[in-house]
Amino acid sequence: MTDLVLTPGQATLAQLALVYRREVSVTLNRSCRPGVEAAAAAIAAAAAGDAPVYGVNTGFGKLASLRIAAEDTATLQRNLILSHCCGVGAPISRRHVRLMMVLKLLSLGRGASGVRWALIELLESMLARGVTPVVPGQGSVGASGDLAPLAHMTAVLIGQGEAEVAGQVLPGAEALAAAGLAPVALGPKEGLAFINGTQFSTAFALAGLFDGWAAAQAALVTSALSTDAIMGSTAPLQPEIHALRGHAGQIEAAAAMRALLAGSEIRESHQIGDSRVQDPYCIRCQPQVTGAAMDVLRMAAGTLEIEANAATDNPLVLTEAGLIVSGGNFHAEPVGFAADMIALALSEIGAIAQRRVALMVDPVLSFDLPAFLTPKPGLNSGLMIAEVTTAALMCENKHIAMPCVTDSTPTSANQEDHVSMAAHGAVRLGRMVENLNVILGVEAICAAQGIEFRAPLMTSVPLASVVARLRQDVATLGEDRYLAPDLAAAARLVAEGGLVAACGLDLPKL
């Protein structure tokens, strides 16, 4: 297991992507320990004092006005975790839980939460020894924090709940014991520090971002394939056009497509004498659409990188000022906005890709390709229903891309009267990426088929390599056959980066 040392406040998207994609052992840079311990000392002093401090010696939410006796503060925190374990639905994936755990480490490591260092060490040890809490996927409204899912994560630390270890799901205490670990008793505010926060929503938003960017890169490749398949013009990729507009994503998308198509015999064959004046928008405006989506993904990335490094519980310990202050950093509104932005980008990448699929299977628009890209139309239906499937997935993505952050509802007896719905917005991104990967996989199948119909003319070297890689998993379509495995294989190639790797070019980075 790879060791990764993260500095709270300075973790990068590249580091978080590594956590998401690989099973890494994560520890915090020990330079943060003095700040963590200073905040813990401040909380211990407050717990021993007479002044009411929210979440330390008071109840929670609507019950904040109720004082808790000093001898009951440990019970208060334990009860908080147990009562908040109200998640429902299927458990989230192991890698989502581990990313959530790492994000919680980063938040606690900022030294504003007041937890003891021992809790940070236990969370690190759970990551290192493969103890992964079982966290149901539903139950958060994104304020005050992702309470239910984070409670399920925290329950394992106190020997409750369930966790997976060595491929088995065990009760929390047994899972810890199997890994040579022991549960802890929570001190003042420690339960609250663990469940107030945006780490569930942020983990899913980051996952959607990372997988969405991979899909955006694949879309550059499949769109170039489609352009050659229908003998589209590369004139709209002229760099001066994009420089005059100035958007970075558009400029990069056009440059990538120029590189992908450079040297294509198919393109050169119709430079002169082509009766078409302009291609449809799905060919002509690819840089403007996919490039704009790339820009939106990068804007969301900026928000999520900040959030990943943020202290998001309540109250926060301001050690230099000598204060413990109630605020609202648990409100996941920034994450909700970022998730909605990612959803819009994913939807639009898929929308224009689907139109390219529709273009290629239509003999009226595909510039002499056979109907539905089959050598014997009529007897064979070819890729007719594959295109219909992309239309279904495109429309599904459009439906679920509607903003979630605007759908607030009051909770907790109107104490928490505006919530972010960031969890909803972030969780749906996984489904959207899966749909998009199928759309792009079908586009690759159609475009490869179209390019092969242009023989003996050859496509560019990068695109020929992409077609060759696709053909390792998906054979050329002759007679009709059972197509579901082909669609799944192509989608998997998109998701795993196989098509992007095959082109051999350095495509735009997040």
Side-chain angles (χ1 to χ4, degrees), residues 25 30 41 50 57 95 114 166 168 265 309 365 371 373 404 407 422 490 496 510:
S25 175
R30 266 33 191 174
D50 295 326
N57 52 18
R95 63 178 180 170
Q168 284 187 293
E265 291 179 5
N309 285 285
L365 300 174
L373 298 167
C404 291
D407 186 24
E496 295 175 355
L510 185 59

mmCIF file of all heavy atoms in Angstrom, residues 25 30 41 50 57 95 114 166 168 265 309 365 371 373 404 407 422 490 496 510:
data_model
loop_
_atom_site.group_PDB
_atom_site.id
_atom_site.type_symbol
_atom_site.label_atom_id
_atom_site.label_comp_id
_atom_site.label_asym_id
_atom_site.label_seq_id
_atom_site.Cartn_x
_atom_site.Cartn_y
_atom_site.Cartn_z
ATOM 1 N N SER A 25 -2.250 4.408 1.801
ATOM 2 C CA SER A 25 -2.216 4.661 3.239
ATOM 3 C C SER A 25 -1.930 6.143 3.441
ATOM 4 O O SER A 25 -0.944 6.666 2.922
ATOM 5 C CB SER A 25 -1.119 3.812 3.882
ATOM 6 O OG SER A 25 -0.986 4.104 5.253
ATOM 7 N N ARG A 30 2.991 15.704 10.316
ATOM 8 C CA ARG A 30 3.014 15.888 11.768
ATOM 9 C C ARG A 30 3.190 17.347 12.180
ATOM 10 O O ARG A 30 3.050 17.672 13.371
ATOM 11 C CB ARG A 30 4.116 15.031 12.381
ATOM 12 C CG ARG A 30 3.665 13.641 12.874
ATOM 13 C CD ARG A 30 2.567 13.016 12.088
ATOM 14 N NE ARG A 30 2.005 11.821 12.747
ATOM 15 C CZ ARG A 30 0.960 11.175 12.312
ATOM 16 N NH1 ARG A 30 0.333 11.590 11.209
ATOM 17 N NH2 ARG A 30 0.485 10.120 12.950
ATOM 18 N N ALA A 41 -6.947 21.091 23.868
ATOM 19 C CA ALA A 41 -6.793 21.624 25.230
ATOM 20 C C ALA A 41 -7.825 22.711 25.506
ATOM 21 O O ALA A 41 -8.365 22.807 26.623
ATOM 22 C CB ALA A 41 -5.377 22.171 25.401
ATOM 23 N N ASP A 50 -17.711 26.703 33.539
ATOM 24 C CA ASP A 50 -19.139 26.902 33.790
ATOM 25 C C ASP A 50 -19.887 27.518 32.610
ATOM 26 O O ASP A 50 -21.113 27.417 32.535
ATOM 27 C CB ASP A 50 -19.318 27.812 35.017
ATOM 28 C CG ASP A 50 -18.805 27.155 36.287
ATOM 29 O OD1 ASP A 50 -18.930 25.915 36.396
ATOM 30 O OD2 ASP A 50 -18.269 27.879 37.139
ATOM 31 N N ASN A 57 -20.906 21.387 26.277
ATOM 32 C CA ASN A 57 -21.704 21.133 27.481
ATOM 33 C C ASN A 57 -23.161 21.553 27.289
ATOM 34 O O ASN A 57 -23.836 21.939 28.226
ATOM 35 C CB ASN A 57 -21.096 21.817 28.709
ATOM 36 C CG ASN A 57 -20.838 23.302 28.466
ATOM 37 O OD1 ASN A 57 -21.387 23.896 27.539
ATOM 38 N ND2 ASN A 57 -19.997 23.891 29.298
ATOM 39 N N ARG A 95 -14.162 2.927 -2.018
ATOM 40 C CA ARG A 95 -13.276 4.055 -2.320
ATOM 41 C C ARG A 95 -13.919 5.395 -1.987
ATOM 42 O O ARG A 95 -13.217 6.345 -1.640
ATOM 43 C CB ARG A 95 -12.813 4.014 -3.780
ATOM 44 C CG ARG A 95 -13.880 4.133 -4.844
ATOM 45 C CD ARG A 95 -13.186 4.106 -6.196
ATOM 46 N NE ARG A 95 -14.129 4.204 -7.307
ATOM 47 C CZ ARG A 95 -13.745 4.400 -8.561
ATOM 48 N NH1 ARG A 95 -12.461 4.527 -8.855
ATOM 49 N NH2 ARG A 95 -14.627 4.473 -9.532
ATOM 50 N N GLY A 114 -10.843 20.634 17.818
ATOM 51 C CA GLY A 114 -10.774 20.307 19.240
ATOM 52 C C GLY A 114 -10.737 18.844 19.563
ATOM 53 O O GLY A 114 -11.011 18.455 20.698
ATOM 54 N N ALA A 166 -10.703 -7.064 5.395
ATOM 55 C CA ALA A 166 -10.274 -8.324 4.769
ATOM 56 C C ALA A 166 -11.418 -9.026 4.057
ATOM 57 O O ALA A 166 -11.543 -10.250 4.093
ATOM 58 C CB ALA A 166 -9.639 -9.246 5.802
ATOM 59 N N GLN A 168 -14.590 -9.017 4.736
ATOM 60 C CA GLN A 168 -15.731 -9.392 5.569
ATOM 61 C C GLN A 168 -16.352 -8.157 6.204
ATOM 62 O O GLN A 168 -15.639 -7.236 6.604
ATOM 63 C CB GLN A 168 -15.294 -10.331 6.699
ATOM 64 C CG GLN A 168 -15.030 -11.757 6.284
ATOM 65 C CD GLN A 168 -14.784 -12.624 7.509
ATOM 66 O OE1 GLN A 168 -13.786 -12.467 8.210
ATOM 67 N NE2 GLN A 168 -15.698 -13.552 7.770
ATOM 68 N N GLU A 265 -5.717 10.893 -44.032
ATOM 69 C CA GLU A 265 -5.987 10.820 -45.474
ATOM 70 C C GLU A 265 -7.457 11.083 -45.764
ATOM 71 O O GLU A 265 -7.800 11.655 -46.809
ATOM 72 C CB GLU A 265 -5.604 9.437 -46.016
ATOM 73 C CG GLU A 265 -4.123 9.149 -46.038
ATOM 74 C CD GLU A 265 -3.831 7.754 -46.575
ATOM 75 O OE1 GLU A 265 -4.783 7.062 -47.004
ATOM 76 O OE2 GLU A 265 -2.658 7.351 -46.568
ATOM 77 N N ASN A 309 -9.867 21.082 1.837
ATOM 78 C CA ASN A 309 -8.881 21.525 2.817
ATOM 79 C C ASN A 309 -9.495 22.338 3.961
ATOM 80 O O ASN A 309 -8.770 22.865 4.810
ATOM 81 C CB ASN A 309 -7.809 22.362 2.128
ATOM 82 C CG ASN A 309 -6.843 21.509 1.324
ATOM 83 O OD1 ASN A 309 -5.994 20.839 1.883
ATOM 84 N ND2 ASN A 309 -6.991 21.515 -0.002
ATOM 85 N N LEU A 365 -27.408 12.219 -43.569
ATOM 86 C CA LEU A 365 -26.486 13.207 -43.013
ATOM 87 C C LEU A 365 -25.043 12.727 -42.907
ATOM 88 O O LEU A 365 -24.141 13.533 -42.660
ATOM 89 C CB LEU A 365 -26.959 13.628 -41.614
ATOM 90 C CG LEU A 365 -28.352 14.261 -41.533
ATOM 91 C CD1 LEU A 365 -28.735 14.478 -40.078
ATOM 92 C CD2 LEU A 365 -28.380 15.576 -42.295
ATOM 93 N N ALA A 371 -26.713 3.078 -44.026
ATOM 94 C CA ALA A 371 -27.681 3.298 -42.957
ATOM 95 C C ALA A 371 -27.336 2.458 -41.731
ATOM 96 O O ALA A 371 -27.087 1.254 -41.841
ATOM 97 C CB ALA A 371 -29.083 2.954 -43.449
ATOM 98 N N LEU A 373 -24.818 2.122 -40.198
ATOM 99 C CA LEU A 373 -23.427 1.662 -40.204
ATOM 100 C C LEU A 373 -23.306 0.139 -40.312
ATOM 101 O O LEU A 373 -22.399 -0.479 -39.749
ATOM 102 C CB LEU A 373 -22.697 2.167 -38.955
ATOM 103 C CG LEU A 373 -22.614 3.700 -38.867
ATOM 104 C CD1 LEU A 373 -22.169 4.140 -37.483
ATOM 105 C CD2 LEU A 373 -21.683 4.265 -39.933
ATOM 106 N N CYS A 404 -29.831 20.772 -7.868
ATOM 107 C CA CYS A 404 -30.262 20.257 -6.573
ATOM 108 C C CYS A 404 -30.165 21.323 -5.488
ATOM 109 O O CYS A 404 -30.919 21.310 -4.519
ATOM 110 C CB CYS A 404 -29.402 19.054 -6.168
ATOM 111 S SG CYS A 404 -29.666 17.587 -7.171
ATOM 112 N N ASP A 407 -33.148 23.238 -4.104
ATOM 113 C CA ASP A 407 -34.252 22.478 -3.511
ATOM 114 C C ASP A 407 -34.064 22.336 -2.004
ATOM 115 O O ASP A 407 -33.865 21.241 -1.492
ATOM 116 C CB ASP A 407 -34.356 21.112 -4.177
ATOM 117 C CG ASP A 407 -35.582 20.335 -3.715
ATOM 118 O OD1 ASP A 407 -36.550 20.973 -3.277
ATOM 119 O OD2 ASP A 407 -35.551 19.097 -3.785
ATOM 120 N N ALA A 422 -26.489 19.201 -1.087
ATOM 121 C CA ALA A 422 -25.243 18.873 -1.789
ATOM 122 C C ALA A 422 -25.048 17.376 -1.948
ATOM 123 O O ALA A 422 -24.475 16.920 -2.947
ATOM 124 C CB ALA A 422 -24.054 19.484 -1.049
ATOM 125 N N ALA A 490 -17.017 -1.083 -24.637
ATOM 126 C CA ALA A 490 -16.621 0.255 -25.082
ATOM 127 C C ALA A 490 -16.734 1.268 -23.950
ATOM 128 O O ALA A 490 -15.866 2.132 -23.773
ATOM 129 C CB ALA A 490 -17.473 0.680 -26.274
ATOM 130 N N GLU A 496 -11.978 3.594 -18.144
ATOM 131 C CA GLU A 496 -10.634 3.250 -17.682
ATOM 132 C C GLU A 496 -9.532 4.010 -18.405
ATOM 133 O O GLU A 496 -8.350 3.798 -18.132
ATOM 134 C CB GLU A 496 -10.425 1.740 -17.823
ATOM 135 C CG GLU A 496 -11.352 0.930 -16.912
ATOM 136 C CD GLU A 496 -11.240 -0.563 -17.124
ATOM 137 O OE1 GLU A 496 -10.503 -0.973 -18.051
ATOM 138 O OE2 GLU A 496 -11.886 -1.316 -16.371
ATOM 139 N N LEU A 510 -6.805 18.463 -15.892
ATOM 140 C CA LEU A 510 -7.665 19.195 -14.990
ATOM 141 C C LEU A 510 -6.894 20.299 -14.292
ATOM 142 O O LEU A 510 -7.392 21.377 -14.087
ATOM 143 C CB LEU A 510 -8.269 18.233 -13.965
ATOM 144 C CG LEU A 510 -9.302 18.788 -12.994
ATOM 145 C CD1 LEU A 510 -10.507 19.368 -13.722
ATOM 146 C CD2 LEU A 510 -9.730 17.707 -12.011
#
